[in-house]
């Protein structure tokens, strides 16, 4: 039961709600300044798929005349490593903030997240996570009052696609575009590359497709693989949000996943694939490049990105509640 102000009701999100939710997020972005812009197609890809049970793991809040004023989700990808991750996301329309709607939805999310843990992986510890940009102090304050703690800081970094570094040559290695016949090999390389990273998980074929290469924003033509003797050693997978382009007037290539096999590190492969991806994007009508890095990244990625001209534009904080195993 969600306790809401008079005149408001909540029910699970349906696919028909997605256009209205895209409008809500656009209105919220004008205040929240996250730099994220989602189209109807983008949201449909995130929410309407085999990984998400909208009927149980989402809520949309409406007025009596049908206006969408808020939403909340509690979504848990099926795979995990150190702790089962349940990701809590939501937003209240700026006109409706300050009335307790966000608190009510967060309470539902924490309760539902706890249920998801008990239902699906009670044998493992779990982590309920909400991310809040530093441009959203009211959300951060609400999370703190609810007992969540700051667990991780992520830097969103950008650079213009001008004055690009010279191409990097690694002996014996070819830099080639992503091709679909290598999709599963790249998935397995990603799993190997991220075994030590906070919050990472072993992506199975379905979650890899839904969350990464099956997304509408994925650009295989702008993605780069480093291949030696027929084996993928490193990769930079690129995404372009046309919704963001429409708002900002600049097309950005976003490096969603960058990795190097552990046994291939120390050869300059990360720098080689990123530089090649920057040059491919510049030739492909992109004006900027972006990426996200964990401030505590164990491979020293932050220094690498700074050396390639990336600068932090926004900071996102991961707030979490830890749940112990139930058996």
């Amino acid at each position: 039961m969600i306790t809401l102000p008079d005149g408001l009701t909540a029910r699970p999100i349906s696919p028909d709600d997605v256009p209205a939710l895209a409008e809500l997020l656009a209105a919220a972005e004008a205040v929240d300044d996250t730099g994220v812009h989602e189209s109807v197609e983008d949201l449909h890809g995130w929410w309407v798929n085999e990984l998400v049970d909208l009927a149980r793991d989402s809520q949309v809040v409406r007025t009596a005349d049908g206006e969408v004023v808020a939403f909340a989700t509690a979504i848990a990808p099926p795979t995990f490593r150190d702790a089962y991750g349940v990701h809590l996301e939501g937003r209240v329309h700026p006109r409706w903030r300050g009335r307790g709607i966000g608190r009510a939805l967060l309470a539902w999310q924490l309760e539902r997240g706890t249920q998801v843990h008990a239902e699906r992986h009670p044998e493992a510890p779990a982590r309920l996570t909400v991310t809040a940009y530093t441009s959203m102090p009211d959300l951060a304050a609400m999370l703190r009052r609810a007992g969540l703690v700051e667990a991780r800081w992520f830097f969103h970094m950008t650079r213009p696609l001008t004055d690009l570094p010279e191409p990097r040559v690694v002996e014996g290695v070819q830099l080639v575009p992503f091709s679909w016949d290598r999709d599963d090999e790249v998935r397995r390389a990603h799993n190997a590359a991220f075994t030590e990273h906070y919050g990472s998980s072993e992506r199975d074929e379905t979650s890899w497709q839904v969350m990464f290469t099956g997304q509408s924003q994925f650009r295989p033509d702008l993605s780069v693989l480093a291949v030696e003797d027929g084996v993928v050693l490193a990769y930079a997978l690129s995404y372009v949000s046309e919704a963001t382009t429409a708002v900002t007037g600049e097309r950005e290539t976003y490096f969603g996943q960058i990795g190097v096999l552990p046994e291939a590190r120390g050869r300059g492969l990360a720098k080689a694939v990123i530089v090649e991806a920057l040059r491919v994007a510049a030739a492909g009508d992109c004006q900027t490049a972006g990426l996200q890095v964990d401030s505590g990244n164990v491979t020293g990625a932050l220094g690498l990105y700074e050396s390639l001209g990336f600068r932090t534009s926004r900071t996102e904080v991961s707030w979490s509640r830890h749940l112990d195993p139930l058996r």
Side-chain angles (χ1 to χ4, degrees):
M1 181 68 178
I2 301 175
T3 303
L4 294 167
D6 290 345
L8 299 180
T9 57
R11 60 161 174 77
I13 294 172
S14 78
D16 291 341
D17 295 318
V18 172
L21 291 170
E23 292 181 4
L24 183 156
L25 283 169
E29 175 58 17
V31 175
D32 298 333
D33 187 31
T34 68
V36 178
H37 305 275
E38 304 275 17
S39 70
V40 172
E41 184 180 15
D42 297 334
L43 292 177
H44 198 275
W46 284 120
W47 290 337
V48 185
N49 58 65
E50 53 267 59
L51 301 184
V52 179
D53 184 356
L54 282 177
R56 302 188 68 202
D57 299 340
S58 72
Q59 294 288 325
V60 59
V61 177
R62 289 176 170 268
T63 64
D65 61 4
E67 179 188 357
V68 171
V69 302
F71 77 90
T73 59
I75 297 173
T79 58
F80 63 97
R81 283 196 175 101
D82 61 327
Y84 184 49
V86 185
H87 302 277
L88 315 180
E89 182 183 5
R91 205 64 60 87
V92 178
H93 194 290
R95 290 199 308 270
W96 288 85
R97 294 179 182 179
R99 309 186 198 193
I101 300 169
R103 291 194 302 276
L105 288 177
L106 178 60
W108 172 83
Q109 288 175 307
L110 294 171
E111 179 181 6
R112 180 58 192 147
T114 302
Q115 292 170 351
V116 168
H117 171 224
E119 292 168 2
R120 301 178 192 174
H121 286 286
E123 79 288 354
R127 184 186 299 118
L128 310 184
T129 299
V130 182
T131 61
Y133 287 78
T134 53
S135 55
M136 305 166 75
D138 290 345
L139 174 57
M142 183 176 72
L143 297 174
R144 185 178 290 108
R145 288 194 298 270
L148 281 78
V149 297
E150 296 170 293
R152 215 72 175 186
W153 286 258
F154 296 90
F155 300 142
H156 291 261
M157 309 183 77
T158 60
R159 64 152 293 159
L161 291 176
T162 55
D163 299 321
L164 296 179
E166 290 299 314
R168 308 280 297 187
V169 177
V170 180
E171 185 177 356
V173 173
Q174 291 180 300
L175 300 178
V176 301
F178 175 94
S179 58
W180 287 109
D181 62 307
R182 293 188 180 275
D183 187 32
D184 197 59
E185 183 183 4
V186 178
R187 175 185 70 85
R188 287 181 277 112
H190 180 76
N191 286 339
F194 277 77
T195 55
E196 299 176 349
H197 287 66
Y198 174 85
S200 68
S201 66
E202 192 88 4
R203 300 298 179 193
D204 59 18
E205 294 181 22
T206 299
S207 58
W208 176 259
Q209 285 287 327
V210 169
M211 301 171 68
F212 299 145
T213 60
Q215 279 291 313
S216 60
Q217 296 181 11
F218 179 56
R219 290 289 300 270
D221 57 314
L222 302 182
S223 301
V224 175
L225 310 178
V227 178
E228 183 178 51
D229 297 329
V231 176
V232 173
L233 300 182
Y235 55 89
L237 302 186
S238 301
Y239 300 76
V240 173
S241 166
E242 295 301 339
T244 300
T245 303
V247 172
T248 65
E250 290 187 324
R251 181 167 284 104
E252 178 188 74
T253 183
Y254 191 86
F255 301 144
Q257 292 80 42
I258 301 170
V260 180
L261 290 180
E263 62 269 26
R265 290 174 185 161
R267 299 176 59 188
L269 290 171
K271 183 171 286 189
V273 293
I274 295 169
V275 169
E276 180 66 11
L278 290 171
R279 299 181 73 85
V280 169
D285 197 31
C286 292
Q287 290 78 47
T288 62
L291 52 80
Q292 174 188 287
V293 62
D294 182 344
S295 64
N297 183 287
V298 295
T299 63
L302 177 60
L304 169 64
Y305 302 148
E306 289 177 336
S307 76
L308 291 172
F310 286 90
R311 296 293 179 265
T312 299
S313 56
R314 292 176 174 85
T315 300
E316 187 176 10
V317 182
S318 176
W319 294 74
S320 70
R321 172 181 289 181
H322 176 83
L323 302 178
D324 291 326
L326 299 178
R327 63 179 187 220

